[in-house]
Amino acid sequence: MFLLVLDFVILSISRNRLSQNGEKSERKEMRRTMARNALQPLSMILGLATLLIIHVSGGDSCEGQFSAARYHEQMRQLQAIKASLIGRESVPGSTISASPSSAPPLQGASGLRVYRVTKYGADPTGKSDSTEELNKAIEDAFQGPSEGLLMEGISNLGGPQINLEGGNYLISKPLKLPAAGAGNLMILGGTLRASDNFPVDGYLIDLSASSASGQAGKIGSSLNSQLASSSSSSYNYEYITLKDLMLDSNYRGGGISVVNSLRISIDNCYIAHFTTNGILVQGGHETYIRNSFLGQHITAGGDGGERNFNGTAINLMGNDNAVTDVVIFSAAIGIMASGQANTFSGVHCYNKATGFGGTGIYLKLPGLTQTRIVNSYMDYTGIVAEDPVQLHISSSFFLGDAFVLLKSINGIANGINIVDNMFSGSNKGVEIVQLDQSNGAFKEIDQVVVDRNNVKGMKIKATVARGAVQGNGSSWTVDFNPVLLFPNLIKHVQYSLSTSSGSSFPSHALRNVSDNRVVIESDMAVPANVFVTVDQA
């Protein structure tokens, strides 16, 4: 009935524009007759429609005087209102119902596909289980029109949005995409909470082909033909965005699982109460995690149960991912990276203190690290790297005796830069960079630079060191063991000898560099100052 009124309003404006000078009385009578027949059961809507008519036509005295721009603007607004009403589904308690044959719910301007989960019966109060309703909204998003491909074998869904509308939803099973081989979709705007019977090994949002395979038969026929080529893609999904979400795993399983997918965005998410992984990225390529907060227990530090924190906040088992502007406030391990070429920037880890067995960032890819950690804050938690090869750590702050540990697996350390950081400790003699050689000594050491770090209350370690000694004799020794990182390793030495003896100048030479001690000797005893620079790189 209301749509009939809108059609009448649009018709009135159009006819008013096309024929401003003819038969005004007949048009007025026609408007009155149509409005009376259409609006009898909806008196309030009649009032609204009448105001719209008066507003756009301006009454008898103004008829024909509004501009072309004003006319087109009024037409555009009324057409948008009509389009939004056509796509509206019935809601419990609503006075307007959609036709049973209507398309999935479309909200807003024509062509915008927003699937509001309350339209499917999802309970935004979190009192009842909404798993099926949420998965149905996701399924409907997959049934919409698609435009071409992203990566070969991955259909472009066009950007539909599953809007949680700021609700708090209880789920008993993971939310899953109904089929692999699709992309360009967003889930946003609400809270998901695991029920007490949620699988302990599940994830609240599960992007994996195995999770979708059982539901593949539910995909609409309009998409089936394009998804048929998905087997030609080496990725399950592409360009899926998870945004503005709070995920409460209720100490049962994890938050988000991304398996073998490409260009996934996790933005402004708060993930808590996980027992496995807050976010798991396995395989795939270019998952970006940014502006997010993760912690097993919700705390702001100094938690009495910190010793018992477990789980991993972010587990990256893939390549070329980025974690940017993320806070990890409780977990046994903040970030575990077992893939290569990952970047961490602006990460604040205070998940579980190193003294309690925790690790801020653990790089577990011996021999092929290729990781950059910059502008980050290691707060009582350190960095561990196994057999690091191409590792860059710079412009970061280490607080509370936090340090970098290089762990030997096969004795390789190559292409390491630990430079321009700040370390602050409690004057307990903790070294800023340490070696774990329990599995064997580092044997292949090349291009390792630990230098230019600002240290307070901790023991400085470096691969570049400078020293001086003064004495009257024929031998001078400078011991660099307190500073140099690697034992018994000096590759380069520069020195100068200055003497105040005026009678003659001695011949002198570098005699020994073993055990990180530099020995300079002369052919005669003279008072001299010796300055030495050494490099282990």
Side-chain angles (χ1 to χ4, degrees), residues 47-364:
L48 174 61
T50 304
L51 288 175
L52 287 171
I53 295 169
I54 294 173
H55 175 69
V56 298
S57 65
D60 292 344
S61 61
C62 300
E63 190 167 344
Q65 297 180 9
F66 58 90
S67 66
R70 181 63 175 168
Y71 162 75
H72 289 299
E73 174 63 17
Q74 296 288 351
M75 289 292 292
R76 186 194 64 78
Q77 292 179 0
L78 290 174
Q79 292 285 4
I81 294 172
K82 179 181 177 181
S84 69
L85 291 171
I86 291 174
R88 184 174 296 169
E89 283 201 343
S90 62
V91 184
S94 172
T95 58
I96 302 176
S97 299
S99 168
S101 61
S102 64
L106 309 180
Q107 302 293 330
S110 178
L112 179 62
R113 294 164 55 205
V114 179
Y115 296 81
R116 302 186 184 277
V117 297
T118 58
K119 306 291 184 183
Y120 291 85
D123 178 9
T125 69
K127 295 179 180 179
S128 60
D129 190 294
S130 297
T131 307
E132 297 304 322
E133 291 79 5
L134 295 177
N135 275 326
K136 182 61 169 64
I138 297 173
E139 180 184 329
D140 279 0
F142 267 65
Q143 290 178 338
S146 60
E147 297 292 336
L149 301 175
L150 297 172
M151 281 289 292
E152 182 180 359
I154 297 182
S155 295
N156 179 8
L157 297 176
Q161 299 177 5
I162 293 91
N163 193 331
L164 302 186
E165 304 177 82
N168 188 334
Y169 302 93
L170 184 70
I171 61 175
S172 56
K173 294 184 294 185
L175 300 185
K176 305 173 182 180
L177 303 190
N184 193 4
L185 173 141
M186 179 183 292
I187 302 175
L188 76 160
T191 296
L192 300 175
R193 180 167 54 88
S195 66
D196 291 338
N197 58 345
F198 192 89
V200 294
D201 58 348
Y203 289 83
L204 293 174
I205 300 177
D206 187 350
L207 307 182
S208 64
S210 60
S211 71
S213 60
Q215 303 183 54
K218 299 180 181 179
I219 302 300
S221 58
S222 63
L223 192 59
N224 269 336
S225 58
Q226 297 197 44
L227 290 182
S229 63
S230 64
S231 59
S232 64
S233 174
S234 59
Y235 301 103
N236 296 329
Y237 305 105
E238 181 182 358
Y239 190 34
I240 304 296
T241 300
L242 308 176
K243 183 179 180 182
D244 302 338
L245 300 172
M246 180 171 182
L247 306 180
D248 182 353
S249 298
N250 192 25
Y251 301 109
R252 300 183 65 85
I256 299 172
S257 172
V258 179
V259 178
N260 197 31
S261 296
L262 175 64
R263 290 184 271 271
I264 305 299
S265 292
I266 300 173
D267 189 4
N268 192 34
C269 290
Y270 190 120
I271 303 174
H273 301 154
F274 50 85
T275 53
T276 53
N277 302 289
I279 298 174
L280 170 65
V281 178
Q282 185 173 359
H285 190 58
E286 295 173 347
T287 292
Y288 273 45
I289 304 168
R290 53 184 175 261
N291 305 321
S292 295
F293 305 87
L294 298 98
Q296 183 181 65
H297 299 269
I298 299 178
T299 178
D303 193 295
E306 182 177 357
R307 293 177 182 271
N308 299 319
F309 292 168
N310 53 45
T312 300
I314 300 175
N315 192 347
L316 299 178
M317 304 172 66
N319 302 336
D320 307 322
N321 306 296
V323 180
T324 306
D325 297 330
V326 166
V327 174
I328 300 171
F329 50 84
S330 66
I333 299 175
I335 300 175
M336 172 73 80
S338 53
Q340 66 194 69
N342 295 300
T343 301
F344 309 137
S345 174
V347 176
H348 181 192
C349 292
Y350 61 98
N351 45 291
K352 181 177 182 178
T354 298
F356 295 154
T359 304
I361 299 175
Y362 199 115
L363 307 176
K364 193 176 180 63

